[in-house]
Amino acid sequence: MDRDQQTHAHAAVTRPEVRTMLRQSGLRPTRQRMALAEILFAHGNRHISAESLHDEAVTRRVPVSLATIYNTLHQFTEAGLLREVAVDGSKTYFDTNTDDHHHFFVEDDNEVMDIPPGQMGVGRTPEPPDGYEISRIDVVVRLRRIRRD
Amino acid sequence: MDRDQQTHAHAAVTRPEVRTMLRQSGLRPTRQRMALAEILFAHGNRHISAESLHDEAVTRRVPVSLATIYNTLHQFTEAGLLREVAVDGSKTYFDTNTDDHHHFFVEDDNEVMDIPPGQMGVGRTPEPPDGYEISRIDVVVRLRRIRRD
DNA sequence: CTGTGTGCAAACTCTTTGCATAAGT
DNA sequence: ACTTATGCAAAGAGTTTGCACACAG
């Protein structure tokens, strides 16, 4: 599950690189944004919710408010550093892998994971109705834990 | 958009049929459930949210509370009369077409529509991780209105 | 009658907003 | 200094819940 399922996703790890990344996106490298970017991009692909990112930040002694978490996630998404994942549930998830790919969604515990590229291809792209164009195709393969009762 | 994109979905229309449908699902045919079922199943496939169903009921002079709308939608879903559609956004949508099919989602105005069957097939089904089995595959083709600026 | 369903209002979760304070350049 | 970000608390949207009353069988 930790194999290289990213193709050319963020490899930024070091602090200076994160700083540059933010600058290039037109975002001032503030304490919070730096810290959040490091959490997000330092360890390969991740799928996080506002709450989980906040928890993680608090654990790492990075003082940041939930409001700032939301601001930051949206700013990063607009800047193309993150991708919003539309799975089920009321929560919004963000994916640090912005490549074209699809997701598994574990229904039992609301977990999102990437589907390794190559494992899944959308067959025929449907014809969009008149006046519309396709913006994106999202595939969610919903999983259920196998239980041997 | 109103062509026969349903395969064998609900064709129940008449009041007695709706009554039977509810009975068979183990639901007592109360005023509200009857009225809501008629709204839902009388006119081909529909994609509705709790709010839109409530609005429609109010318009038709069917007195029903939002709480009952939610109850009913969930009961119908459990009974297999409806299917919950996981598209984007905070709202939950329900589909009167319970067949295996996928959806267009118009980003501009949060509208859900069926993708005509045959127009889209999932290519290769991905291998679920160990200990998991696939419960369902949801494909959402997100649409954007074409604008000639 | 008896039990299930319904309506109302309050509670809850997730997310957004307004405004004073703090931090970046 | 001057501008943009942050934090807090309050507001908002969507959904759920608890309990008294109403209705179906």
Side-chain angles (χ1 to χ4, degrees), chain B residues 38-58:
Chain B
E38 284 183 56
I39 292 176
L40 289 169
F41 303 120
H43 303 295
N45 292 333
R46 311 202 50 189
H47 303 87
I48 40 89
S49 64
E51 204 191 355
S52 68
L53 180 56
H54 186 243
D55 288 352
E56 194 164 342
V58 169

Side-chain angles (χ1 to χ4, degrees), chain A residues 23 28-29 31 67 70 74 90-92:
Chain A
R23 279 246 156 70
R28 288 217 305 224
R31 296 187 197 301
Y70 279 106
H74 288 137
S90 46
K91 278 201 197 112
T92 304

Side-chain angles (χ1 to χ4, degrees), chain A residues 17-97:
Chain A
E17 279 167 344
V18 168
R19 184 177 297 276
T20 304
M21 182 186 224
L22 291 178
R23 279 246 156 70
Q24 288 180 343
S25 303
L27 297 169
R28 288 217 305 224
T30 63
R31 296 187 197 301
Q32 290 76 345
R33 294 212 266 238
M34 289 287 290
L36 296 179
E38 285 182 56
I39 292 176
L40 289 170
F41 303 121
H43 303 295
N45 292 334
R46 309 202 52 188
H47 303 86
I48 41 88
S49 64
E51 204 190 356
S52 69
L53 180 55
H54 186 243
D55 289 351
E56 194 164 341
V58 168
T59 299
R60 297 195 187 193
R61 300 275 148 68
V62 177
V64 64
S65 72
L66 241 195
T68 297
I69 296 277
Y70 279 106
N71 285 339
T72 304
L73 286 173
H74 288 137
Q75 290 156 353
F76 283 12
T77 300
E78 265 184 66
L81 302 175
L82 290 178
R83 180 188 193 279
E84 212 168 326
V85 180
V87 288
D88 192 71
S90 46
K91 278 201 197 112
T92 304
Y93 290 86
F94 294 85
D95 190 345
T96 59
N97 180 358

